[in-house]
Amino acid sequence: MIVDIGIVAVKAFLVLFMVLNLAGILGWIERKGSALIQDRIGANRASVFGFAGMGLINTLIADPLKFLTKEDFVPPEGDKFLHTLAPCMTLFTALVTFAVIPFGDVLVLGERVINLQVANLNIGILYVFAIGSLGVYGIVIGAWASNNKFSLMGAVRGSAQMISYEVAMGLSVIGILMVFGTLELQEIARGQGTLIRDMLPESAGFLRSTVGRLPAWGIFLQPLAFLLFFTAAVAETKRIPFDLPEAESELVAGYHVEYSGGKFLMFFAGEFAEIVTAAGLMTTLFFGGWQVPYLMRDGFHFPWGEAVVLPHLAVTALQVGAFTLKVIFFCWLQILLRWSVPRFRYDQVMRLGWKMLLPLALLNVIVTAIVIIALQ
Amino acid sequence: MDASVILFYVISVLLVLSSLMVVFLRNVVHCALALVVALFLIAILFVMLHAPMVGVLQVLVYAGAIMVLFLFVIMFLNPTASEPRRKLWWGFGSAAALLLAASLAALLSNGEAPADPVTATETFGSPETLAKSLFTDFVLPFEITSVLLLVAIIGAVVLAKREP
């Protein structure tokens, strides 16, 4: 009993530690990356005892310290309690989503089998959407409690945008759920460990020997769904090209214009934690989660017949490592996107969400259903 | 006492408190947020009753979508002055509440426990069980409801697209 609780606590701590630190590192990468793209040098002024070489580590420490020592200002006409609650809600919803994302298969230690996932819920992906839908409150409450018109404009834009894209996001995942027949993220990740040829009938000999050798990752089975999901996920994180809620050239800073100090840091960290969570979801749903191609529980089994036997711990280490690398890749992709494309107009955001993503997601569901029935 | 019974009472007390806050707080935004808390707590009760699917849908639909629209409207109208107390409505409300309390008390006092209570299994409210009963036993009501919702959506679009 106590050992079980301890294991869950350790897993929760590890995941929170990884997500928060990755969020912090992303804050640095965002500045360094933008500098790289814009041909500047970027953040290099944080030095500890005149030692500026360790840019990442210094900035990781200097950034929060700077925020925490600044004045925490609450607008006198605002609502003090809700003004404090809002950033907490944003950070909370961003962090707890990762609880259902599996970061590895099972780890066998002696008699004990540890599922490398903080919480294994049979409603899996629905939990992600439920928590995601609560994320709207952070910006709505924060903006209202600030008693500022720019804030309120940002919140109205933000909530309309998040609700719209949640619909498209939910529909785009339906295809994946149909293919793997489960809502549990761990089962979806396991399902992606097979090869495509196992899903094809015997008669499709040519397809089985060519495409069939690819692992059955979501991206190969549902390429359109990935594009839709990626777009909707970026819109959910409220970053360029979808950063209308804070559009600094129109709304100063939108919903967090009246925030400073530690509370602003929470909004800031929440945004990066959302990026990490979105990357985790993309990895789990479409890029095999913790799967390494052709790596089974006892080692590599290549489709051309060779096999390499590996011990259990090495396999687990490879899987967790692969998951981490994939997540970091998608985080980087989202940051790269922010510095590469301009911001949409608001009507364009709404048109894209309702008139492009939604019908395409519906089409994807119908086509997937037809293909599944045809293959049966 | 069982841990789940203690949890039930804790959540029920919080639920009643937040429901009272919905009625008695003077600021409309605070009332709406108290309602969100109440809906979230009801979702936890559903999860405790082995109905995680209903619980999650409760959060997703009510707390996550409908209440956001409520807040939306409240913030747009921004009612700065608190609502004046209306004596007549207070009378009606109190009478209705008393009536409800009396009928509930009557039900609870002379009601007998069912002879063979059915214990809900772990899979009682799982997505699979729910989907199976929805698409086999209750497929007609399910489809009729979906048509009803479709009509409502079309109605909303027609109203919104009114020519200037």
Side-chain angles (χ1 to χ4, degrees):
Chain A
M1 183 68 187
I2 298 215
V3 180
D4 289 334
I5 294 175
I7 288 173
V8 172
V10 167
K11 283 194 290 190
F13 173 78
L14 272 180
V15 166
L16 275 180
F17 182 81
M18 288 295 284
V19 172
L20 274 173
N21 274 289
L22 200 50
I25 293 170
L26 283 178
W28 179 76
I29 290 181
E30 173 120 294
R31 269 172 275 171
K32 274 298 199 188
S34 70
L36 194 74
I37 289 170
Q38 295 164 353
D39 200 17
R40 297 182 285 114
I41 293 172
N44 65 345
R45 283 293 173 271
S47 72
V48 176
F49 305 118
F51 183 62
M54 303 267 286
L56 167 62
I57 305 294
N58 287 347
T59 314
L60 264 186
I61 301 166
D63 244 9
L65 275 183
K66 183 191 78 176
F67 278 120
L68 290 174
T69 49
K70 280 188 171 181
E71 186 194 357
D72 174 22
F73 181 76
V74 182
E77 296 289 308
D79 190 316
K80 193 166 176 16
F81 173 67
L82 293 184
H83 192 265
T84 311
L85 183 72
C88 302
M89 281 203 71
T90 302
L91 192 57
F92 173 77
T93 51
L95 287 177
V96 293
T97 316
F98 224 95
V100 291
I101 298 179
F103 52 93
D105 199 2
V106 289
L107 175 64
V108 183
L109 287 178
E111 302 245 309
R112 203 168 276 284
V113 179
I114 302 169
N115 187 16
L116 292 183
Q117 181 187 24
V118 177
N120 190 19
L121 306 173
N122 65 359
I123 42 171
I125 188 86
L126 283 177
Y127 166 85
V128 174
F129 288 124
I131 298 293
S133 71
L134 291 180
V136 188
Y137 285 109
I139 67 170
V140 173
I141 297 173
W144 184 81
S146 304
N147 192 32
N148 179 313
K149 288 196 172 54
F150 287 120
S151 293
L152 202 60
M153 291 276 285
V156 168
R157 284 180 177 191
S159 45
Q161 174 180 325
M162 284 174 84
I163 290 181
S164 307
Y165 279 79
E166 229 158 62
V167 179
M169 195 171 174
L171 268 177
S172 68
V173 174
I174 302 275
I176 286 285
L177 303 182
M178 287 159 82
V179 171
F180 295 108
T182 177
L183 291 171
E184 283 173 53
L185 289 170
Q186 181 68 283
E187 288 303 315
I188 291 177
R190 276 201 193 114
Q192 295 180 75
T194 54
L195 298 182
I196 289 181
R197 69 174 170 206
D198 298 331
M199 297 182 166
L200 295 171
E202 291 289 335
S203 53
F206 176 70
L207 277 179
R208 280 171 67 94
S209 59
T210 50
V211 191
R213 291 189 169 194
L214 288 171
W217 284 6
I219 180 75
F220 300 126
L221 303 172
Q222 295 274 316
L224 177 62
F226 173 68
L227 281 180
L228 300 175
F229 185 84
F230 184 81
T231 315
V234 174
E236 287 285 301
T237 56
K238 304 183 290 294
R239 286 163 60 81
I240 288 177
F242 297 101
D243 74 330
L244 276 301
E246 49 180 282
E248 69 279 358
S249 48
E250 306 158 29
L251 299 180
V252 193
Y255 62 94
H256 55 55
V257 67
E258 295 285 2
Y259 278 90
S260 56
K263 292 185 202 162
F264 177 76
L265 176 67
M266 287 172 85
F267 268 128
F268 192 67
E271 180 179 319
F272 285 109
E274 275 175 22
I275 296 177
V276 179
T277 309
L281 280 174
M282 288 170 203
T283 306
T284 310
L285 292 171
F286 296 98
F287 285 83
W290 38 262
Q291 300 276 4
V292 182
Y294 313 126
L295 180 66
M296 307 287 159
R297 282 208 180 156
D298 55 347
F300 283 101
H301 290 273
F302 295 107
W304 49 89
E306 277 177 67
V308 182
V309 179
L310 286 173
H312 174 68
L313 276 179
V315 170
T316 309
L318 269 177
Q319 287 170 342
V320 176
F323 178 76
T324 315
L325 276 182
K326 289 176 196 174
V327 169
I328 290 173
F329 171 77
F330 280 109
C331 291
W332 165 242
L333 189 65
Q334 289 179 69
I335 284 180
L336 195 67
L337 187 74
R338 173 178 174 174
W339 298 103
S340 313
V341 286
R343 180 186 301 137
F344 282 121
R345 267 195 340 255
Y346 196 66
D347 59 318
Q348 290 171 329
V349 170
M350 283 293 134
R351 200 187 307 151
L352 179 74
W354 289 105
K355 294 191 176 172
M356 296 280 293
L357 297 191
L358 191 66
L360 280 175
L362 278 172
L363 182 76
N364 185 55
V365 171
I366 294 168
V367 171
T368 309
I370 292 173
V371 171
I372 287 178
I373 289 174
L375 283 179
Q376 270 173 358
Chain B
M1 225 190 312
D2 199 6
S4 66
V5 177
I6 298 173
L7 191 60
F8 170 78
Y9 279 114
V10 170
I11 289 176
S12 303
V13 168
L14 289 175
L15 181 56
V16 171
L17 278 181
S18 56
S19 306
L20 286 175
M21 280 162 76
V22 177
V23 183
F24 287 109
L25 286 182
R26 304 303 297 158
N27 186 320
V28 195
V29 172
H30 292 179
C31 295
L33 289 174
L35 188 52
V36 175
V37 174
L39 291 169
F40 193 77
L41 290 169
I42 293 175
I44 297 180
L45 285 184
F46 277 128
V47 173
M48 285 172 62
L49 291 169
H50 293 308
M53 182 83 182
V54 183
V56 160
L57 289 182
Q58 167 94 5
V59 174
L60 200 62
V61 177
Y62 287 96
I66 292 180
M67 283 314 296
V68 174
L69 294 181
F70 270 43
L71 266 182
F72 220 78
V73 174
I74 292 172
M75 286 181 350
F76 260 127
L77 301 178
N78 204 11
T80 39
S82 305
E83 285 279 300
R85 287 173 191 270
R86 295 200 185 93
K87 289 234 170 68
L88 189 64
W89 283 113
W90 263 88
F92 275 127
S94 314
L98 277 176
L99 205 64
L100 183 69
S103 53
L104 271 180
L107 266 179
L108 287 176
S109 58
N110 63 16
E112 286 170 21
D116 48 345
V118 182
T119 321
T121 53
E122 286 284 323
T123 56
F124 163 71
S126 73
E128 292 90 351
T129 325
L130 195 72
K132 260 189 199 127
S133 58
L134 262 189
F135 287 104
T136 52
D137 301 340
F138 300 101
V139 71
L140 187 66
F142 178 76
E143 293 296 336
I144 291 175
T145 315
S146 65
V147 171
L148 187 68
L149 287 175
L150 186 66
V151 171
I153 292 171
I154 294 172
V157 171
V158 169
L159 282 178
K161 283 198 78 168
R162 203 162 32 189
E163 295 299 320

